[in-house]
Amino acid sequence: MTVNRLSGPLPDPAGETGYPPEPRAGFFTDTSVCIGCKACEVACKQWNLLPEDGMDLTGMSYDNTEALSGTTWRHVAFVEQRGTPAELGMPEFGAPDEQQVRWLMSSDVCKHCTHAACLDVCPTGALIRTEHGTVVVQDDVCNGCGYCVPACPYGVIDIRPDTGGAAKCTMCQDRLGAGLMPACAAACPTESIQYGPLDELRERAAMRVDELHEQGVTSARLYGHEPTDGVGGDGAFFLLLDDPEVYGLPPDPVVTTRDLPSMWRHAAAGALTAAALIAGSFLGRRR
């Protein structure tokens, strides 16, 4: 049982499916070894038959996709930074006060949240939790209402313009069922994207952070790994070399449906109060 500090105890998502229990699967993305090759983007599009997004660069970096979308389920961010080694949290090379340049690269993806707001708001049951603990969209059940889009605290899920349905990373559900790893992890040449049992990945990630700190990379930190955060922990978490905002990630994500129970209670109380006032007014007039 995991605990969400904002909304109380949360069940293990893999146990909610009714399938035989399996170790929860996940992604660990180590951005410190990402080289920005975009092999993950290409592999994802090829395997999932996603249309291309055009070959025009955004003008902000070596990037033609800009963000995750209904047709881009993996997106590699390029962030250029300038500063001294101390400012960048890097080992010193040359003079301590010498300005240096570094690229931060990170392959973003759906977080497969432990407590997923998209599941809460879907009116048709198109969004489901799988036996691997992941969250996927059933294309033949989705009606394209779009409720899941604003519900996602990460801005991941989107409507595909060519189909009109919601779409996002499935962690290659069809490959997992065949005993294969997701296409993006299989294509990554530096093992920046690692797939496996989530508990094992968390242990591996903690050791990697310690290793980087020993090497003088003091800015290294984990993001989305903590089961007590605002979404109950992510099924896809990251090792970052700067603040989450630098990578376009929210610093403290919170499941957007956390207040729904209290909202319904307040709405019901308000409706009862209004009904009582109307009834009292009607009875008073009859007298």
Side-chain angles (χ1 to χ4, degrees):
M1 180 79 72
T2 59
V3 177
N4 184 317
R5 60 182 171 81
L6 296 170
S7 57
L10 295 174
D12 178 356
E16 295 177 355
T17 61
Y19 288 91
E22 293 188 15
R24 185 181 178 186
F27 280 131
F28 165 46
T29 301
D30 182 353
T31 69
S32 69
V33 294
C34 178
I35 59 175
C37 67
K38 288 183 174 280
C40 55
E41 283 193 27
V42 175
C44 178
K45 282 185 173 291
Q46 287 183 334
W47 182 261
N48 293 291
L49 302 177
L50 300 174
E52 55 91 16
D53 298 288
M55 296 305 296
D56 297 329
L57 297 179
T58 62
M60 300 300 293
S61 68
Y62 297 105
D63 185 5
N64 68 303
T65 49
E66 191 171 1
L68 295 172
S69 71
T71 55
T72 296
W73 299 353
R74 270 278 180 188
H75 169 250
V76 179
F78 288 74
V79 180
E80 183 176 349
Q81 293 185 319
R82 296 175 182 270
T84 64
E87 291 171 340
L88 299 176
M90 298 168 52
E92 290 186 7
F93 294 97
D97 58 349
E98 180 182 352
Q99 290 284 311
Q100 298 185 12
V101 177
R102 74 169 175 178
W103 282 97
L104 297 181
M105 301 170 185
S106 173
S107 180
D108 197 9
V109 71
C110 172
K111 312 308 181 290
H112 295 275
C113 307
T114 296
H115 191 52
C118 58
L119 282 173
D120 294 338
V121 302
C122 181
T124 65
L127 279 149
I128 61 170
R129 182 82 66 180
T130 74
E131 68 271 32
H132 304 288
T134 58
V135 178
V136 302
V137 181
Q138 300 176 101
D139 296 334
D140 57 340
V141 183
C142 178
N143 65 0
C145 68
Y147 291 170
C148 55
V149 176
C152 176
Y154 297 100
V156 167
I157 196 165
D158 198 9
I159 301 297
R160 282 187 61 163
D162 55 341
T163 67
K168 68 172 193 65
C169 163
T170 66
M171 209 176 285
C172 288
Q173 173 70 11
D174 51 349
R175 292 177 63 91
L176 301 190
L180 303 173
M181 70 170 58
C184 57
C188 182
T190 63
E191 296 186 356
S192 171
I193 301 172
Q194 301 176 34
Y195 165 79
L198 193 57
D199 290 339
E200 293 181 14
L201 292 177
R202 286 172 174 162
E203 294 178 5
R204 192 183 308 168
M207 290 189 291
R208 176 60 176 162
V209 170
D210 292 340
E211 179 184 348
L212 289 172
H213 286 175
E214 291 174 1
Q215 295 174 4
V217 186
T218 58
S219 60
R221 82 286 304 271
L222 295 179
Y223 176 84
H225 71 297
E226 182 56 62
T228 57
D229 68 12
V231 294
D234 293 325
F237 66 101
F238 302 80
L239 186 155
L240 304 179
L241 298 180
D242 208 327
D243 294 331
E245 301 95 311
V246 173
Y247 296 85
L249 297 168
D252 190 19
V254 174
V255 59
T256 54
T257 54
R258 64 170 182 169
D259 296 325
L260 279 181
S262 62
M263 290 170 62
W264 282 115
R265 286 194 297 270
H266 284 92
L272 289 174
T273 301
L277 290 173
I278 293 172
S281 175
F282 178 75
L283 292 174
R285 288 181 180 178
R286 292 192 61 181
R287 290 175 184 173

